[in-house]
Amino acid sequence: MADTQRPLSPHLQVYRWQIQMVTSILHRATGIALAIGTLLVVWGILALASGEAAFEQFKTCTGSPIGLILLVGWSWALSYHLCNGIRHLVQDTGAGYAIPQFVRSSWLSVIGSFVLTILIWACVLAQGGVA
């Protein structure tokens, strides 16, 4: 066999990053983040059921800068996973497989997730939810 300097199998250094690849990776990563972040939601529900002192401790933790970063990140992951999941459902009908449509829908799911996250937090802040 001729000695070639090519890798034996494709990897991320060989592929050119494209929005389609990024959205696929992000969909998997946000699914994992949602599973882990759900523990935070469960903690809040249990603290609410446990009484005022436990819920105050939960509010203190989630009201801290790290807690707010986690909550905003979790809400973005939820928004992205929702938008990209809807995109996948549309593609399951057989629509949107042409490259221009696929790229457009990929960008729409990314942009839509940021818009949805901003709307969610605007509603939270308007209701005084982080006070």
Side-chain angles (χ1 to χ4, degrees), residues 5-131:
Q5 296 300 321
R6 297 183 315 184
L8 295 177
S9 64
H11 50 82
L12 291 178
Q13 293 173 339
V14 173
Y15 290 121
R16 192 178 116 240
W17 283 81
Q18 297 177 352
I19 187 66
Q20 303 93 312
M21 182 169 76
V22 172
T23 56
S24 176
I25 293 169
L26 276 178
H27 193 76
R28 295 164 199 262
T30 55
I32 293 168
L34 288 174
I36 294 169
T38 300
L39 296 174
L40 187 66
V41 174
V42 169
W43 176 31
I45 292 170
L46 289 175
L48 188 60
S50 297
E52 192 172 331
F55 192 65
E56 283 300 320
Q57 182 183 17
F58 171 76
K59 284 186 355 183
T60 301
C61 289
T62 56
S64 70
I66 292 174
L68 288 173
I69 289 170
L70 289 174
L71 287 174
V72 171
W74 190 81
S75 61
W76 175 79
L78 180 64
S79 299
Y80 176 78
H81 208 75
L82 173 70
C83 291
N84 204 48
I86 291 170
R87 180 176 77 91
H88 277 288
L89 285 174
V90 169
Q91 288 175 340
D92 285 345
T93 66
Y97 277 112
I99 298 293
Q101 294 171 333
F102 201 91
V103 170
R104 186 179 327 115
S105 66
S106 296
W107 278 110
L108 281 174
S109 65
V110 171
I111 293 166
S113 69
F114 283 112
V115 169
L116 194 54
T117 303
I118 290 168
L119 289 173
I120 288 168
W121 281 94
C123 289
V124 168
L125 294 174
Q127 297 296 319
V130 186

